């Protein structure tokens, strides 16, 4: 078996593993537009391989079902019409079984293709497809959590799910960095996304950055100091978001009989105060920092100092807007729609979360979301 | 077995029969607010018996799951908080299996209660619950049709589903009725809903009413004469509805390569032109009538003349608004919320449809919907 | 001067009299879609004469400005494109001066036409135009009240405006009417709208109807008994309306330092408790009646009993939906759009209000509004 | 007269000069939320001096009308409740006359204050108030243009308004800049806004920037090449904006009988092809640049190279998001709400436009708008 095929099979089986504890019904629903049905993730990641690799490069490949292009295209305008995003949860068909057959069909064809050496163009696309599927593995975790965590019955994903999200955050010294010109962006031979390039220079002023993430305990102090009620800490748009949505705590937090609980994949549990905070929006992260008299780091400060602190448990909001690096070029064709067309109105997050597949992130990885979103496992690291 | 228990078991098993061909995924989705997930219908009809009968009248009854009140209450303000209607399709749990266990649990308790004679109050409520479940059986049919018929794959409910909706409509003479005072409303001993009472007198002018329903053929003439493009036939609100929703044909009609098809529970089929028209809104019914130089009958004209024509294949739009009859009284408590609170901004439909459970309708039955809705099997009968 | 010309000049000058106390700025704004800028009323009523009479019937008539068709058409699809209703308040031009010149221009042409006898078709249209303008006079009053009454400065229309809306309502005996067949609809030689025809028979059951309108005092009892907080009194749609709009009192009522005030055209004044209630929606009227254990009359009951009570101070909500009378026919052409196309989802009001121009109403007049509206001077009369 | 008073009177009289050609009605309307009624600008700029300077610093000052705080506060949460932004156009009162009296009242009090030397804190606030009023002068121009330019009658602001916006754009060489560390931000003694500070270092890569703005001619080529119809040029959000709003040309452009016109303050005029393009959104600017195979400059590239090209006719979109400079600090109190709370989801524009008051801009000035807005006189300069 070629290393690429091994990699492919590995990634594909991880996706199914994540879904194993689900009931059929859990695969279907889409409680909000940003959360896709697990069934859709299973189909879409498969369609990516079919549309980008099998159709153009495997001679004689017979598509599983031509209508699936319409059902499982996410946002590729160049690849034809598609179900609009908000309608994904309205489709009971294809059934989970059919989607699994689709996966088998594509996996067999991919195996035929990868059993021998492929040219570099195909290899690059397969690698991209694997990373793409890993991104959706993370989304699977967070979408499943949203689906179950917003159900009035609060069902557990697995009763004995070990709350890895519950690790205590240990006191860590602040890191001081001297101003100067620093290199930014990916270098080396491995895989990276196009948005991590070109590697280029950035001038940073002197700054300091916390070695530890903000904890639930610290955020409770913000709440108890009426942080959600005082506009002075907030961006104008953040303040509107707070009031229009009656936000008064991070996502999944519930105050019951005056005690704080939060929904975890193991069910509703008492909040562990010394654990790192998760599931906050950029607006909340920024307001918390302002209340502390500090600020969020830029993505450049984060990247430059990242070797000096432990990261990988939370995606960390930065102050940086998601913009192209100097010299960034969109690829031609559908692949060019992967990242570039989202480079407006979003914020960069750095790091990785406990839901990120191992080996999927690096310190040049640029994640991005709109500032009000918080269904990802997002946290806060302060700078100054 | 008491006759009431027989009736109860009969109705309950019909509900399950309707769902038998469904895949688990089909039970879950809610493509639009008016269409509930089949799973919800199964639970809600069960909850009705639990909340209205078992809890107050069966001593020692242990509710299956106290959270189900929140999940399966439809609109009874007097029975506590509930999942808002538009959120029903966001709930993957309780699963279909759990809902079926809930049905079993309630059925066993109901059997305990009904195995011997019950007092009149309970008997009345059981009868109401059975009629309530029959109403939801009809909704099950139409909601399933909507769910499958709006899926881009157009799956059949049953491949060999005999298109009972396809019966040809035979030419029938027009019925002439003389003006005068007529009795309206239910009389007799059997069951009726509160909105069919009090029986009272109505004066009708001379009128004539068609013995036959409008056919697909006739409606195609309206389309071909640009009926959807000429505001003169339409109410102002109907015209807005047509333009805002780009309506150009009845629901489920598709023009493919210049031929008309429609979705049926047996899949996408060529339109049968001599069959009775279905799935039109009041706005379309009224515009069609105006185009013909005719009008829709009032519900009183319909009731008075109903013995002279065949009915029962389509719910038939009338010109009448849904209003209380003289002397109408809301019952006290939750049962009083059944009908009365909807008596504004809706139109009366008379008759029954091919999806109506047998024995559920009568010529005094008053169905009602908002004028833009057409996912029910609604048709047109003209008057003059 | 012909009587028709006298009538015309009379009506036209009344419109200007209503506007005399306004500042130029008051002519321009449209705080909600239902309230048109006074400037628009001045132009639209003028356009009605120009479009319906001068253009087709006065040879050599030169339109004032061809663009005004676009600006001042209200809802006549057959007369071309138009500014959409919600945009009326976005137009600073034509200025008030220009609109007044437009009125002068049309008045001079109308005088040329009416200085001699005209044929019956024209005479009928002129009469319709005058009644149309009187309808807009009433709207001018209520729209001006809305514009000034929703300004945070609460400016008076006229400081010394005698609150005719403040007349005390005197105790009056209840009227009992025997069941039987009654004639309904306009008869006689004078003017009536098409929706008052055909005169026809209706069967009424025995009923009683109050000789007096509901007073502010009585409605305060409803408020104090938590009438706005108890869903049991309300239609489902009414209850949604109350909660979505946080309604807790009639329009224009303000509770300041625990005392009730209401905005009148003379400014903000203490509420007079013995005056007839005004500015309630159908939902409120119906909820109040339910709370009282009574109901609203039908429009037929109202018409039949109207000679036995004093009316004309409030438009009175009825239980009747706005539907065509038996034999109702839409006129061909633009005039046919006057009434018929609104006959769905609206409620009939009977009577007249203190804002209605004298001579404009009669006991067969059918006013109609959507059930949530209350910027007209709407009141409640109870029946049983 | 002190220099500060001279400056004050100068700025204040310029505001009135801008409004002189308006009709009273033009002061009142608000066609979209972003465009405020001119009357509101007149009042709000006055209120700024009253609230920030006269009330705290002029002993014995009597406010003109305490309700005006509610009417004329724009967005200062720390200064109390206010009319919500979308409601500004619903207020006919205070009238234009009253607002002018308000201006006189405040001007007299300011003159009393400024006739002698004031301390530095007051002097700084007066200067800020003057710059604030100059910002609103520019908004007055663009809001007036929007109000008149969206009226179906297309009235001119002044018939003989010299189209300064029509200056031809001359061919100019491209400027090449070497990479390296550059200083960014305001330095010197004069006035600047807080968002231009701290001055700091930025590393720039080699880049080139056009000496000239994009012309109407060039943009027509984009249109003729179906630029608005090809998603490949657009951000995903830009593409949604194009389709949801049916955008097919810059704001104020109209194609009439196959010829291009645009609305100017002198009325509707044929488009001058060699003039600089104006009234495009960031989305259009970015799509045009992508179509050209170029990009927009960053705000840093723009600032560093600005001495080498002529600027000041268009606000120029940059690729930079509006973010705080390193070391940026919000002032305490209401003044701190001036800029900082808007630093999310907006784009920086550099330069100035032909509507900018002379002396108001500088090459470190950071203007900012949401990416879809185009009622400002916004243009495009390309970089590479």
């Amino acid at each position: 078996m070629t290393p690429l095929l091994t990699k492919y099979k590995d990634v594909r089986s991880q996706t199914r593993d994540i879904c194993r504890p689900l009931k059929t019904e859990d695969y279907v629903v889409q409680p909000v537009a940003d959360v896709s049905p697990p069934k859709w993730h299973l189909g879409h990641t498969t369609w990516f391989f079919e549309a980008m690799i099998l159709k153009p490069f495997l001679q004689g490949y017979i598509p599983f079902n031509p209508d699936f292009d319409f059902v499982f295209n996410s946002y590729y305008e160049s690849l034809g019409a598609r179900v609009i995003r908000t309608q994904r949860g309205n489709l009971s068909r294809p059934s989970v079984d059919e989607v699994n057959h689709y996966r088998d069909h594509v996996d067999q064809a991919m195996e035929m293709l990868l059993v021998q050496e492929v040219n570099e163009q195909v290899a690059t696309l397969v690698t991209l497809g694997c990373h793409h599927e890993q991104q959706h593995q993370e989304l699977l975790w967070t979408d499943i959590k949203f689906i179950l965590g917003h159900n009035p019955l609060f069902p557990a994903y697995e009763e004995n799910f070990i709350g890895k999200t519950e690790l205590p955050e240990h006191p860590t010294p602040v890191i001081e960095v001297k101003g100067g010109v620093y290199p930014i962006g990916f270098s080396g031979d491995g895989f990276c996304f196009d948005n991590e390039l070109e590697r280029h220079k950035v001038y940073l002023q002197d700054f300091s950055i916390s070695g530890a993430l903000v904890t639930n305990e610290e955020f409770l102090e913000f709440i108890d100091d009426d942080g959600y009620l005082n506009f002075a800490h907030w961006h104008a748009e953040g303040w509107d978001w707070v009031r229009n949505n009656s936000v008064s705590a991070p996502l999944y937090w519930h105050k019951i009989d005056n005690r704080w609980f939060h929904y975890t994949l193991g069910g509703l549990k008492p909040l562990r105060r010394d654990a790192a905070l998760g599931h906050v929006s950029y607006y909340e992260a920024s307001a918390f920092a302002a209340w502390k008299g500090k600020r969020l780091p830029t993505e450049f400060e984060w990247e430059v100092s990242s070797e000096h602190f432990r990261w990988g448990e939370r995606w960390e909001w930065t102050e940086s807007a998601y913009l192209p690096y100097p010299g960034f070029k969109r690829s031609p064709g559908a692949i060019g729609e992967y990242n570039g067309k989202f480079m407006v109105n979003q914020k960069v997050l750095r790091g990785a979360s406990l839901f990120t597949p191992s080996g999927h992130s690096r310190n040049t990885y640029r994640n991005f979301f709109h500032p009000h979103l918080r269904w990802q496992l997002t946290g806060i690291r302060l700078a100054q």
Side-chain angles (χ1 to χ4, degrees), chain A:
Chain A
M1 204 152 53
T2 61
L4 199 56
L5 180 54
T6 307
K7 168 77 176 168
Y8 174 85
K9 292 179 103 164
D10 218 46
V11 166
R12 296 285 284 173
S13 72
Q14 282 160 15
T15 303
R16 291 215 190 169
D17 288 347
I18 295 170
C19 294
R20 217 170 297 278
L22 299 184
K23 298 205 176 184
T24 302
E25 293 86 342
D26 300 328
Y27 286 86
V28 180
V29 299
Q30 179 182 34
V32 295
D34 297 302
V35 167
S36 292
K39 183 161 75 90
W40 185 87
H41 288 295
L42 294 182
H44 166 69
T45 49
T46 302
W47 168 85
F48 191 93
F49 287 109
E50 187 181 61
M52 302 286 184
I53 297 168
L54 293 177
K55 285 188 185 173
F57 298 108
L58 180 60
Q59 217 173 353
Y61 174 72
I62 296 165
F64 182 74
N65 182 335
D67 290 334
F68 280 21
D69 277 337
F70 183 70
V71 174
F72 290 124
N73 183 353
S74 55
Y75 57 67
Y76 295 87
E77 304 274 353
S78 39
L79 297 174
R82 60 192 185 278
V83 171
I84 62 168
R85 186 172 187 170
T86 51
Q87 300 291 319
R88 289 176 190 162
N90 295 338
L91 304 189
S92 62
R93 312 287 180 92
S95 68
V96 176
D97 276 352
E98 282 171 287
V99 173
N100 282 331
H101 292 149
Y102 180 37
R103 287 184 74 86
D104 293 340
H105 178 91
V106 164
D107 285 350
Q108 283 162 23
M110 285 295 292
E111 192 157 350
M112 278 175 58
L113 182 73
L114 297 182
V115 78
Q116 55 220 11
E117 281 305 312
V118 291
N119 66 31
E120 197 188 312
Q121 186 187 6
V122 172
T124 300
L125 284 169
V126 173
T127 304
L128 179 63
C130 288
H131 283 277
H132 173 256
E133 182 137 352
Q134 287 185 310
Q135 290 182 313
H136 281 275
Q137 286 169 5
E138 176 152 8
L139 289 171
L140 265 172
W141 283 114
T142 53
D143 291 1
I144 290 167
K145 184 170 182 180
F146 194 97
I147 288 165
L148 300 179
H150 284 77
N151 189 297
L153 307 176
F154 291 123
Y157 166 77
E158 281 186 330
E159 285 299 340
N160 303 318
F161 188 82
I162 306 294
K164 287 194 302 178
T165 59
E166 291 291 286
L167 301 179
E169 192 66 19
H170 293 297
T172 322
V174 162
I175 296 125
E176 305 282 347
V177 181
K178 288 304 285 180
V181 175
Y182 290 90
I184 290 292
F186 184 79
S187 69
D189 292 333
F191 173 85
C192 77
F193 285 108
D194 57 359
N195 63 9
E196 299 170 51
L197 299 172
E198 299 283 312
R199 188 163 166 92
H200 64 287
K201 295 178 190 161
V202 162
Y203 188 93
L204 298 180
Q205 331 297 315
D206 293 354
F207 71 97
S208 65
I209 189 165
S210 170
L213 294 169
V214 169
T215 62
N216 290 333
E217 178 76 42
E218 292 174 278
F219 202 80
L220 277 170
E221 290 166 20
F222 172 74
I223 294 177
D224 291 342
D225 194 34
D226 287 342
Y228 281 103
L229 304 174
N230 185 346
F231 65 85
H233 311 315
W234 297 82
H235 286 95
E237 295 187 10
W239 185 239
D240 289 345
W241 173 79
V242 164
R243 286 184 302 180
N244 293 341
N245 299 284
S246 304
V247 179
S248 60
L251 193 64
Y252 299 121
W253 287 32
H254 299 272
K255 201 170 195 171
I256 302 169
D257 294 338
N258 229 29
R259 290 180 55 211
W260 283 105
F261 291 77
H262 65 158
Y263 177 79
T264 72
L265 287 173
L268 202 63
K269 304 283 184 191
L271 189 71
R272 177 160 183 173
R273 292 181 176 238
D274 60 358
L277 171 72
H279 295 298
V280 288
S281 69
Y282 165 78
Y283 295 129
E284 287 162 299
S286 172
F288 176 84
W291 172 76
K292 273 285 200 191
K294 305 205 170 165
R295 61 175 177 83
L296 303 179
T298 66
E299 62 169 321
F300 311 116
E301 292 171 338
W302 191 97
E303 185 171 325
V304 161
S305 58
S306 61
E307 61 189 310
H308 301 298
F309 52 78
R310 193 164 58 96
W311 57 267
E313 296 181 11
R314 299 285 184 275
W315 284 106
E316 307 179 20
W317 287 108
T318 74
E319 184 57 33
S320 299
Y322 181 48
L323 294 173
Y325 280 173
F328 170 76
K329 287 262 178 291
R330 279 201 203 184
S331 306
I335 292 299
E337 298 187 52
Y338 202 96
N339 275 311
K341 72 181 186 183
F342 301 110
M343 290 179 172
V344 66
N345 284 346
Q346 309 212 37
K347 285 287 187 185
V348 173
L349 300 105
R350 289 301 192 98
S353 94
L354 292 162
F355 292 139
T356 314
S358 80
H360 178 64
S361 194
R362 52 207 156 263
N363 79 337
T364 58
Y365 192 107
R366 307 172 78 200
N367 203 352
F368 52 93
F369 283 104
H370 285 101
H372 67 288
L373 294 173
R374 52 186 196 162
W375 96 110
Q376 293 303 304
L377 190 45
T378 47
I380 309 177
R381 184 183 303 276
L382 295 174
Q384 206 159 7

